[in-house]
Amino acid sequence: MRETTLGLAGETAEPWAGLASRFGRIVLADRLREVRALSGFTRVSPDAGVVPADTSRRLKWLPAVEVFGEGIFLTLDRAALKDWEDDPDVRRRVQGMRADLDRSFQRDRLESVTGPELSPRFVLLHTLAHLLIRQLSFESGYTTASLRERIYARPEQDQYGVLVYTAAGDAEGTLGGLVRQGEPPRLTETLLRMTESAAWCSADPLCAEHTGQGFGNLNRAACHACALLPETSCEAGNSLLDRALVIGGERVPGYLQPIISAARAAAADALEQP
């Protein structure tokens, strides 16, 4: 693994300076190893109990598969994230999602991913991961189904990062295409294009103004046209997503909303110049 940057040190022009102030560490994993083990499964009914993979309960091992690949890990800026999380409108919106989660039969499974409390940073980072994977599918040539996410967003453990990595590598791993996209200035341009794309959905204004969509109403502004991924790519089953927390809306400020405003202002200035 090796640490890099967005390549924006000393940048004062917008929207680049604003983008640098919203993100923290960037770590590139040239070789990443993942082991997926099957501990059990459920049958037919969604609220059925888990059947262990070892039904006889005699074995000391689990069926598993080993995958090699590569990944990009990035964190948000801690101070900017705390200021955004403390906004009452942000907390109010996430509390509504928490109420829907409490009524869902998926609560136990999702709490193993989110932690005991659904925090604003989890919904933000989870949505950012989906948007980034969708953008990287255009930039790097990987399909969305071949990329996966891992969210690190538990406030009690001071986590505020996300890992996007290949999920379809063979025994020799992949050829470096994803890591190459994480090097400056490519990742910077990818993040800016991701933010600009997230500001518009073909299902808007319906999607942007939705108060509950998806399975169990566990999503807000997130649909197949803008934020959802193949189920194998998402560790939360395409639940607990809200694009408005990223780009902003009428009732809530977005974490990357200043970037969109600065990009639009810069584009308008460029059009006005002779």
Side-chain angles (χ1 to χ4, degrees), residues 204-219:
D204 281 343
L206 181 61
C207 175
E209 298 175 355
H210 224 299
T211 57
Q213 60 180 321
F215 202 69
N217 290 329
L218 292 177
N219 291 332

Side-chain angles (χ1 to χ4, degrees), residues 38-43 48-55 57:
L38 174 66
S39 60
F41 55 90
T42 58
R43 296 180 185 271
V50 176
V51 179
D54 174 23
T55 55
R57 300 181 184 274

Side-chain angles (χ1 to χ4, degrees):
M1 292 189 180
R2 52 194 171 93
E3 189 164 349
T4 184
T5 67
L6 290 177
L8 298 175
E11 183 64 64
T12 57
E14 296 291 352
W16 311 108
L19 195 65
S21 68
R22 292 283 158 171
F23 290 93
R25 297 179 61 198
I26 310 294
V27 179
L28 305 180
D30 296 282
R31 183 171 175 83
L32 184 146
R33 173 177 173 266
E34 180 190 30
V35 177
R36 306 172 196 161
L38 174 66
S39 60
F41 55 90
T42 58
R43 296 180 185 271
V44 186
S45 176
D47 56 353
V50 176
V51 179
D54 174 23
T55 55
S56 65
R57 300 181 184 274
R58 296 177 180 177
L59 302 178
K60 296 182 180 180
W61 54 272
L62 293 172
V65 60
E66 186 179 51
V67 177
F68 293 94
E70 56 183 320
I72 302 172
F73 175 79
L74 58 88
T75 68
L76 303 181
D77 182 81
R78 180 186 293 176
L81 176 63
K82 186 178 186 305
D83 291 341
W84 175 82
E85 271 191 313
D86 290 340
D87 189 286
D89 292 330
V90 171
R91 293 195 168 275
R92 189 179 303 112
R93 189 172 180 93
V94 176
Q95 284 172 2
M97 299 179 71
R98 176 71 216 192
D100 289 331
L101 178 59
D102 289 339
R103 293 189 292 266
S104 174
F105 70 84
Q106 300 187 80
R107 175 181 174 180
D108 292 340
R109 181 182 69 83
L110 291 175
E111 282 187 347
S112 66
V113 179
T114 66
E117 293 294 331
L118 179 62
S119 63
R121 69 177 62 186
F122 178 87
V123 182
L124 170 65
L125 283 164
H126 188 205
T127 309
L128 274 174
H130 278 232
L131 297 174
L132 182 57
I133 287 175
R134 289 172 68 99
Q135 188 63 39
L136 283 170
S137 70
F138 295 105
E139 307 283 348
S140 65
Y142 287 103
T143 63
T144 53
S146 66
L147 298 175
R148 289 172 66 95
E149 66 178 12
R150 186 62 59 86
I151 311 300
Y152 301 92
R154 298 201 178 191
E156 68 275 11
Q157 298 179 15
D158 195 28
Q159 296 177 345
Y160 43 93
V162 60
L163 171 68
V164 173
Y165 62 100
T166 54
D170 60 14
E172 298 300 324
T174 49
L175 300 177
L178 183 60
V179 164
R180 186 174 178 82
Q181 288 302 132
E183 297 174 347
R186 291 184 180 88
L187 183 58
T188 305
E189 296 169 352
T190 297
L191 290 173
L192 183 59
R193 283 192 285 266
M194 174 202 76
T195 306
E196 292 173 337
S197 298
W200 182 86
C201 172
S202 59
D204 281 343
L206 181 61
C207 175
E209 298 175 355
H210 224 299
T211 57
Q213 60 180 321
F215 202 69
N217 290 329
L218 292 177
N219 291 332
R220 294 298 185 260
C223 69
H224 285 284
C226 61
L228 301 192
L229 294 176
E231 293 289 339
T232 53
S233 298
C234 177
E235 63 176 347
N238 270 330
S239 300
L240 306 176
L241 298 164
D242 188 1
R243 188 165 48 92
L245 292 181
V246 179
I247 53 99
E250 294 182 359
R251 302 180 182 88
V252 61
Y255 183 76
L256 296 182
Q257 188 172 358
I259 310 304
I260 299 173
S261 300
R264 289 173 176 171
D269 292 339
L271 289 175
E272 292 176 358
Q273 292 179 0

